[in-house]
C-alpha cells in the first residue's frame, strides 16, 4: 500500500517545470528611478547641468564626445530665482546640546550676575521680539540658545554669521528663564555701546531737547517703565548715575520692552561727568516734593493742596541746618533751589529732569547740579494724605509735560513766522 501511495503522488506531479516570469518593463522603470538626472530643464527653457559627485567617474561614453563639442560648452549661471535664500542654503549650522552639556548654565551664571556681566561685557536677551529689536538696532549677538529651529529661522540670516547656535531642550530654557511663559529662545549679546547703535529713524526724527537723569533708582521694574516713557516722550538720552540698578539687568530689559534699543542709555556715571553728556546751557531740574526749601517757599494754600510731601521721606532731615562757627548764625545746608509747579514753563532751554528713587530720594549731588545750572524743583500736586508718586509715574508725568511745552513752543514759533 505504501508503494502504491508513492506512485500515485509521483503521478500527480506536473511533468513540466514551472517557469517564474518577471515583468521586465517594471524592472526597467525601477532602474530609471534610481538614476540621477544629468540635466534639469526649467519651464523657462533654461538648462542646468547637474554636477557629479567627486566619488563617481564619468562614463566611457562621455569620453567619446567630440572635442569641439566639449570646448563649446559654456559655464552656466544660475538665475536669480536659484540664488540661496533659505536658512539651509546659507550654510549655517547649529550644535545640539546633549545630556550633561553645561554651556547654557555657564553662560547664564555670568549674565545674571552684574559683576560678571560687567567683566565679560555680555547681556542676556530673552524673547523673539526683544532679540529682533536688538538685532535691528545693531547689537552684536554672540550665542543663541533655542528649543525649536523655527525660532532661529525667524531672525535675519545676515545677522547670524559667526554666531554660535545651540539647540537645547525647552525644559533647560525654562529652568533658567525669568519669564512666566518662556518663548524658547535666549540670546547672549555683547553689551551695546550707545555710540555704535543704530536707533530707529522715526525715533531720531521725533527726538526732543529733553534728557532724563536717574538717581538712586533701585527697582528694576520702575527703571524699565521709565525707559519706556523716555522713549515714548522722545527723550534724546537717558543717563544713569552710580547707585542705580543696572540698565542691562534682565528684569529691566523685560520691563523696558525694547526701549533700550530706541533711546540712548548711558549707564553707571559719576556725577562729575554728567554734564559731559548734556548739551551746553542745559538746565537740570529735580523732581522732588521733599526738602526744607520746598516747604519754606510753598505757600500754605499750596501746602493744603498736597504739594509738600510727608517729612518722613526727607532724605536730609538730619542736616536741615548747620551753624556757622564764626558768627554763630544758622544757615541752610541744602542748596537753595526755586520751587515751581510742574505745569509751568521749564523747557525754555535744553532741559534735563532728575528722577530719584522712592526709598532714597534724590542725592545731594543732584541738588547741587540743579543749583549750578539754574534748575528748579518741579512739584506734582497730589491729594493731601497720599504718599509721593511712584518714581516711574512721576517721570512719565514730567517727561510728557515737557514734551507738551516743547510742542507748544514750536507751534508759537511757526505762527510768528507766518505772520512776519
Amino acid at each position: 500500500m505504501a508503494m502504491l501511495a508513492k506512485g500515485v503522488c509521483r503521478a500527480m506531479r506536473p511533468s513540466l517545470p514551472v517557469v517564474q516570469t518577471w515583468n521586465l518593463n517594471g524592472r526597467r522603470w525601477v532602474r530609471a528611478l534610481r538614476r540621477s538626472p544629468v540635466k534639469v530643464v526649467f519651464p523657462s527653457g533654461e538648462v542646468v547641468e547637474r554636477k557629479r559627485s567627486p566619488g563617481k567617474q564619468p562614463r566611457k561614453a562621455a569620453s567619446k564626445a567630440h572635442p569641439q563639442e566639449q570646448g563649446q560648452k559654456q559655464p552656466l549661471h544660475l538665475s536669480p530665482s536659484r540664488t540661496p535664500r533659505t536658512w539651509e542654503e546659507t550654510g549655517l549650522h547649529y550644535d545640539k546640546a546633549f545630556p550633561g552639556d553645561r554651556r547654557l548654565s555657564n553662560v547664564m551664571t555670568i549674565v545674571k550676575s552684574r559683576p560678571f556681566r560687567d567683566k565679560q561685557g555680555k547681556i542676556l536677551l530673552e524673547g523673539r521680539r526683544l532679540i529682533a529689536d536688538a538685532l535691528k538696532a545693531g547689537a552684536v549677538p554672540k550665542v543663541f540658545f533655542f528649543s525649536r529651529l523655527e525660532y532661529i529661522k525667524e531672525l535675519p540670516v545676515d545677522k547670524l554669521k559667526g554666531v554660535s547656535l545651540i539647540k537645547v531642550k525647552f525644559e533647560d530654557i525654562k529652568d533658567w528663564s525669568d519669564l512666566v511663559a518662556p518663548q524658547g529662545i535666549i540670546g547672549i549679546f555683547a553689551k551695546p555701546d550707545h555710540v555704535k547703535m543704530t536707533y530707529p529713524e522715526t525715533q531720531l526724527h521725533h527726538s526732543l531737547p529733553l534728557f532724563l537723569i536717574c538717581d538712586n533708582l533701585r527697582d528694576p521694574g520702575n527703571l524699565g517703565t521709565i525707559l519706556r516713557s523716555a522713549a515714548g516722550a522722545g527723550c534724546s538720552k537717558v543717563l544713569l548715575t552710580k547707585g542705580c540698578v543696572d540698565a542691562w539687568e534682565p528684569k529691566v530689559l523685560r520691563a523696558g520692552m525694547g526701549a533700550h534699543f530706541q533711546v540712548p542709555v548711558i549707564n553707571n556715571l559719576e556725577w562729575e561727568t554728567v554734564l559731559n553728556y548734556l548739551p551746553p546751557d542745559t538746565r537740570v531740574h529735580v523732581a522732588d516734593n521733599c526738602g526744607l526749601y520746598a516747604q519754606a517757599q510753598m505757600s500754605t494754600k499750596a501746602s493744603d493742596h498736597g504739594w509738600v510731601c510727608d517729612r518722613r521721606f526727607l532724605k536730609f532731615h538730619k542736616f536741615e541746618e548747620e551753624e556757622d562757627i564764626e558768627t554763630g548764625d544758622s544757615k541752610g545746608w541744602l542748596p537753595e533751589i526755586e520751587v515751581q509747579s510742574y505745569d509751568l514753563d521749564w523747557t525754555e532751554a535744553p532741559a534735563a529732569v532728575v528722577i530719584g528713587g522712592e526709598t532714597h530720594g534724590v542725592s545731594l549731588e543732584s541738588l547741587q547740579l540743579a543749583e549750578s545750572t539754574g534748575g528748579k524743583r518741579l512739584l506734582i500736586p497730589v491729594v493731601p494724605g497720599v504718599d509721593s508718586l511712584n518714581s516711574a509715574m512721576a517721570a512719565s508725568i514730567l517727561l510728557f509735560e515737557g514734551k507738551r511745552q516743547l510742542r507748544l513752543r514750536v507751534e508759537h514759533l511757526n505762527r510768528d513766522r507766518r505772520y512776519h
Side-chain angles (χ1 to χ4, degrees):
M1 292 296 293
M3 295 297 294
L4 181 60
K6 289 181 180 181
V8 172
C9 293
R10 290 176 181 176
M12 294 178 63
R13 291 179 181 177
S15 58
L16 296 176
V18 178
V19 179
Q20 187 176 3
T21 61
W22 291 85
N23 187 350
L24 300 179
N25 293 330
R27 294 181 63 183
R28 292 194 185 97
W29 281 110
V30 171
R31 288 198 300 271
L33 290 176
R34 292 176 180 174
R35 292 172 182 170
S36 300
V38 179
K39 294 182 180 180
V40 179
V41 182
F42 291 93
S44 60
E46 180 185 6
V47 179
V48 178
E49 184 174 359
R50 184 179 181 273
K51 294 182 179 180
R52 299 180 183 276
S53 58
K56 293 184 178 181
Q57 299 294 332
R59 295 185 178 182
K60 296 181 180 179
S63 62
K64 297 180 180 180
H66 198 276
Q68 295 181 356
E69 294 180 358
Q70 294 180 358
Q72 293 176 356
K73 291 183 179 180
Q74 300 294 332
L76 298 175
H77 299 280
L78 294 178
S79 62
S81 61
R82 298 290 297 170
T83 57
R85 291 185 301 176
T86 63
W87 193 86
E88 293 82 356
E89 292 176 348
T90 58
L92 296 175
H93 66 278
Y94 62 93
D95 296 335
K96 186 174 181 181
F98 293 97
D101 194 315
R102 298 185 57 84
R103 284 179 289 183
L104 176 61
S105 60
N106 292 338
V107 171
M108 296 299 288
T109 303
I110 293 175
V111 296
K112 288 203 171 186
S113 172
R114 180 168 185 174
F116 288 128
R117 191 164 57 240
D118 293 339
K119 184 177 180 180
Q120 298 289 333
K122 296 178 181 179
I123 63 171
L124 165 67
L125 301 181
E126 186 172 1
R128 282 167 279 178
R129 179 179 176 182
L130 187 58
I131 290 176
D133 291 342
L135 292 175
K136 187 177 180 180
V140 181
K142 297 296 183 181
V143 186
F144 282 120
F145 296 95
F146 58 95
S147 60
R148 297 179 62 182
L149 187 58
E150 288 76 11
Y151 301 152
I152 292 294
K153 292 182 178 180
E154 294 174 355
L155 303 177
V157 175
D158 58 331
K159 302 289 186 179
L160 301 179
K161 296 180 180 178
V163 182
S164 298
L165 307 176
I166 304 174
K167 190 175 185 296
V168 297
K169 293 183 178 180
F170 179 77
E171 289 74 14
D172 296 335
I173 293 181
K174 187 176 181 180
D175 291 340
W176 287 100
S177 174
D178 293 328
L179 301 180
V180 178
Q183 299 185 23
I185 182 170
I186 293 176
I188 308 300
F189 285 73
K191 183 175 290 187
D193 185 356
H194 71 281
V195 178
K196 301 178 181 179
M197 296 291 287
T198 304
Y199 298 100
E201 291 293 335
T202 54
Q203 190 74 25
L204 298 176
H205 179 70
H206 293 87
S207 180
L208 301 173
L210 188 62
F211 303 85
L212 178 65
I213 303 174
C214 298
D215 181 17
N216 285 320
L217 282 173
R218 308 291 178 85
D219 186 83
N222 280 347
L223 180 56
T225 305
I226 287 174
L227 294 178
R228 291 182 65 182
S229 297
C235 275
S236 297
K237 200 176 296 182
V238 178
L239 309 179
L240 276 69
T241 60
K242 284 190 174 181
C244 292
V245 63
D246 184 16
W248 302 105
E249 183 177 309
K251 292 182 179 179
V252 181
L253 285 162
R254 186 166 62 252
M257 293 292 292
H260 293 72
F261 308 106
Q262 296 175 335
V263 59
V265 179
I266 305 175
N267 204 21
N268 204 29
L269 293 178
E270 297 283 356
W271 278 104
E272 293 78 9
T273 63
V274 168
L275 287 179
N276 298 336
Y277 296 89
L278 299 175
D281 302 328
T282 300
R283 291 187 179 180
V284 179
H285 306 281
V286 179
D288 183 22
N289 285 8
C290 305
L292 173 66
Y293 291 96
Q295 299 181 32
Q297 296 185 33
M298 297 305 297
S299 63
T300 55
K301 182 177 180 181
S303 179
D304 292 340
H305 287 282
W307 287 17
V308 179
C309 71
D310 197 299
R311 291 180 62 86
R312 69 176 179 271
F313 293 107
L314 183 60
K315 179 181 179 182
F316 304 113
H317 66 280
K318 295 182 180 179
F319 311 101
E320 290 179 0
E321 294 184 354
E322 64 179 4
E323 184 176 348
D324 193 326
I325 300 177
E326 297 180 358
T327 62
D329 297 332
S330 61
K331 61 179 181 180
W333 186 79
L334 295 180
E336 297 187 13
I337 306 174
E338 182 182 350
V339 182
Q340 74 170 43
S341 174
Y342 80 105
D343 54 356
L344 299 179
D345 191 9
W346 47 270
T347 59
E348 64 276 1
V353 180
V354 179
I355 300 294
E358 296 180 24
T359 303
H360 300 278
V362 294
S363 62
L364 175 62
E365 292 81 0
S366 67
L367 298 176
Q368 293 173 342
L369 185 60
E371 183 185 33
S372 64
T373 58
K376 302 175 182 178
R377 287 183 185 270
L378 304 179
L379 303 180
I380 303 174
V382 294
V383 174
V386 177
D387 290 343
S388 59
L389 294 176
N390 174 276
S391 298
M393 184 64 67
S396 300
I397 292 174
L398 292 174
L399 291 177
F400 280 93
E401 171 61 25
K403 179 179 181 180
R404 184 190 68 83
Q405 294 181 13
L406 291 170
R407 186 181 69 248
L408 291 177
R409 180 171 284 103
V410 172
E411 292 177 356
H412 291 160
L413 290 175
N414 293 335
R415 190 182 303 114
D416 293 341
R417 290 174 181 174
R418 287 197 300 268
Y419 287 131
H420 294 287

